[in-house]
Amino acid sequence: MLSSERHRREKRHRFYASLRRCVGSGREALAWTLALYFFVIVHKNNDQTYPKYRTIDSHERVWHGGYPVKKGKYQHDGSCWCGQDSYCMCTPSLAIDSILVEEGKPDHVWLVKRRDTGQYATVGGFVEVDESSEDALIRETYEETGLRIRSEQVELIGFYSDPERDARRHSASIVYVVKIPNGSKPKAGDDAKGIELVKLSNINSLDMFSDHKTIIKDYASMVGKPDMVYESLRKDGTAFQRITCKTS
């Protein structure tokens, strides 16, 4: 049986041979018909190189012009998600972040130390397709700390969507405060070097990922300590854009 690559080569060879015969004999219309047919076949074959995924509820989705992992032959730039109806949306990546605090210790926060950059960061990650931000918060908290949380432990801080907040891509993050029982012992997940309980007064001395120092600054304002943490700034020296629920 012929391999798919050999089959395509022979198909192209037959096409060009037919095209030369048509042009040579003056049958231009037929030549253009064959050219159009060849274009459609090639275009169809190229479309088939895009990977398909199944979401949590088993719906099929296809990436066109974007691929979440740069691996193997799928080296397509972009961030467009296309459904089965071929409608594509190109939007910022949605994430969640959480300020993890123990009950009775509002001036301490649990921070992970990222394995990729070595920077400190809040607990969080990206929301998956067909997943609510609340479910993503519960999942990411368990994956990064081993702690199982409930909705009554969660309070919304705000929405952080500045285009410059994340150097990797344009992302927008929904940020929560998560209160865990006093004496909890979070354990760092595989993608972190470790997890530490840090006093708010020590945050300024840390090298922090993205705009996470600004996030902690807003949390410090919520608990009545607005001057304890300095916010991080954009490259032009201005503040990151965000909307917070409440600050003191």
Side-chain angles (χ1 to χ4, degrees), residues 63-68 70 75-81 90-91 169:
W63 281 91
H64 291 283
Y67 189 63
K70 300 294 185 183
Q75 299 287 335
H76 308 299
D77 294 328
S79 59
C80 301
W81 180 261
C90 305
T91 63
R169 72 189 83 172

Side-chain angles (χ1 to χ4, degrees), residues 211-230:
D211 62 348
H212 291 190
K213 191 173 288 185
T214 291
I215 290 173
I216 297 177
K217 159 72 173 179
D218 292 339
Y219 164 74
S221 296
M222 288 179 61
V223 296
K225 302 179 184 295
D227 299 325
M228 190 168 287
V229 180
Y230 302 131

Side-chain angles (χ1 to χ4, degrees), residues 225-237:
K225 302 179 184 295
D227 299 325
M228 190 168 287
V229 180
Y230 302 131
E231 67 178 285
S232 50
L233 299 174
R234 292 158 47 107
K235 293 179 180 179
D236 62 3

Side-chain angles (χ1 to χ4, degrees), residues 26-233:
R27 290 177 288 182
E28 291 83 2
L30 181 56
W32 282 112
T33 301
L34 288 171
L36 179 60
Y37 170 79
F38 182 72
F39 172 80
V40 171
I41 292 299
V42 170
H43 182 68
K44 182 178 180 181
N45 287 337
N46 286 340
D47 278 351
Q48 292 174 350
T49 65
Y50 290 103
K52 296 182 179 180
Y53 294 88
R54 290 198 177 275
T55 59
I56 293 174
D57 60 356
S58 297
H59 290 155
E60 186 179 85
R61 296 292 185 268
V62 182
W63 281 91
H64 291 283
Y67 189 63
V69 180
K70 300 294 185 183
K71 183 179 179 181
K73 63 181 179 179
Y74 302 122
Q75 299 287 335
H76 308 299
D77 294 328
S79 59
C80 301
W81 180 261
C82 301
Q84 290 175 309
D85 59 357
S86 298
Y87 180 77
C88 303
M89 295 186 67
C90 305
T91 63
S93 300
L94 181 62
I96 56 91
D97 285 286
S98 66
I99 304 294
L100 199 65
V101 299
E102 294 184 26
E103 294 176 351
K105 293 183 178 179
D107 58 344
H108 289 71
V109 296
W110 284 97
L111 299 176
V112 297
K113 194 166 187 181
R114 295 177 63 95
R115 190 175 296 278
D116 55 353
T117 66
Q119 295 173 297
Y120 286 88
T122 60
V123 173
F126 289 105
V127 180
E128 295 182 353
V129 175
D130 289 343
E131 183 181 46
S132 69
S133 62
E134 294 81 6
D135 288 341
L137 176 67
I138 294 171
R139 175 182 55 78
E140 286 287 351
T141 301
Y142 179 71
E143 291 177 357
E144 295 197 5
T145 70
L147 300 177
R148 297 190 183 277
I149 62 171
R150 302 181 305 275
S151 58
E152 55 265 30
Q153 298 172 255
V154 175
E155 181 180 356
L156 183 65
I157 290 183
F159 188 61
Y160 295 71
S161 61
D162 194 293
E164 293 187 16
R165 67 177 300 271
D166 191 334
R168 300 169 299 174
R169 72 189 83 172
H170 186 184
S171 68
S173 184
I174 305 170
V175 181
Y176 301 87
V177 175
V178 178
K179 295 181 180 179
I180 58 177
N182 191 13
S184 297
K185 301 294 183 182
K187 296 181 179 180
D190 293 339
D191 58 348
K193 288 184 177 180
I195 185 167
E196 300 177 21
L197 186 61
V198 181
K199 292 184 65 174
L200 290 180
S201 57
N202 293 333
I203 295 294
N204 291 327
S205 64
L206 301 181
D207 179 20
M208 297 205 66
F209 179 74
S210 186
D211 62 348
H212 291 190
K213 191 173 288 185
T214 291
I215 290 173
I216 297 177
K217 159 72 173 179
D218 292 339
Y219 164 74
S221 296
M222 288 179 61
V223 296
K225 302 179 184 295
D227 299 325
M228 190 168 287
V229 180
Y230 302 131
E231 67 178 285
S232 50
L233 299 174

